């Protein structure tokens, strides 16, 4: 209908999360009608990302330097690890500010529905990190969803035998929501008032 090249662009855009046919077409036609530099700059940014961005070998956050800036920052407390599901969650917590520990990104959550098992996540490298020593507290900051809670229980089973203090973000985050979508005030409070996990531990 609008030529192979545009159809291919629409197809690629449609493969992105949250982008349907109409949005893909709107974006494609915007790019087609924009000055050519706009489309070239976008193509270059995509190429740079695909060539230079990798998971950090320590925390699995996305980074263009390995270990990432957060893992290499001597000003951050290596004794406090915040475990999150996805790189976007690191971004959400860093935007809030106030957290001065380090992170571990699971690259997903345990999910029966999506067929994700605990072994598919970066739990083994997390256990290895804690076993290396120097970690006092692991804050389980998985999302307040069914899958996030199930993942926290898996983490508890894996980490409790290591004798490290386990905490969970305070309730107050909307149930079924995500760190990414939580307001700054709610996220700050959830961090500050984090609780022992499981609750009966203390
Ligand atoms: Zn890192």
């Amino acid at each position: 209908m609008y030529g192979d090249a545009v159809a291919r662009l629409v197809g690629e855009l449609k493969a992105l999360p949250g982008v349907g046919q109409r949005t893909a077409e709107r974006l494609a036609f915007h790019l087609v009608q924009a000055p050519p530099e706009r489309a070239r700059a976008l193509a270059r940014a995509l190429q740079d990302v695909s060539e230079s961005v990798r998971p950090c070998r320590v925390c699995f956050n996305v980074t263009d330097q390995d270990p990432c800036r957060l893992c290499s920052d001597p000003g951050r407390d290596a004794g406090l690890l915040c475990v999150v599901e996805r790189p976007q969650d690191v971004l959400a917590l860093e935007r809030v500010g106030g957290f001065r520990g380090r992170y571990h990104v699971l690259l997903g959550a345990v999910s029966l529905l999506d067929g994700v098992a605990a072994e598919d996540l970066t739990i083994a490298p997390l256990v290895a990190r804690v076993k290396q020593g120097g970690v006092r507290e692991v804050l389980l900051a998985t999302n307040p969803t069914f899958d996030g809670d199930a993942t926290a229980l898996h983490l508890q089973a894996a980490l409790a035998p290591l004798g490290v203090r386990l905490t969970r973000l305070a309730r107050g985050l909307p149930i079924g929501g995500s760190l990414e979508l939580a307001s700054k005030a709610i996220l700050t409070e959830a961090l500050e008032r984090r609780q022992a996990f499981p609750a009966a531990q203390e």
Side-chain angles (χ1 to χ4, degrees), residues 56-61 63 67-72 103:
C56 168
R57 84 176 95 120
V58 179
C59 72
F60 296 89
N61 193 14
T63 179
C68 73
R69 286 170 185 81
L70 294 169
C71 286
S72 324
Y103 292 95

Side-chain angles (χ1 to χ4, degrees), residues 5-20:
V6 178
R8 211 149 47 87
L9 177 57
V10 170
E12 291 299 333
L13 291 167
K14 225 171 76 176
L16 299 172
V19 179

Side-chain angles (χ1 to χ4, degrees), residues 9 13 24-43 46:
L9 177 57
L13 291 167
E25 287 177 351
R26 190 163 52 80
L27 293 170
F29 282 104
H30 170 81
L31 288 167
V32 166
Q33 290 166 65
E37 311 85 76
R38 284 285 313 121
R40 275 189 219 118
L42 178 63
L46 288 172

Side-chain angles (χ1 to χ4, degrees), residues 6 16 22 38 45 47 56 60 67 96 99 112 115 120 122 127 133 155 161 167 173 194 198 200:
V6 178
L16 299 172
R22 281 194 185 191
R38 284 285 313 121
Q47 193 167 3
C56 168
F60 296 89
V96 166
F99 180 73
L112 275 179
D120 299 325
T122 63
V127 168
L155 292 167
T167 50
L173 289 167
R194 62 184 185 268

Side-chain angles (χ1 to χ4, degrees), residues 82-93:
C82 177
V83 182
V84 295
E85 293 179 23
R86 302 167 309 155
Q88 297 95 298
D89 301 326
V90 174
L91 203 61
L93 288 166

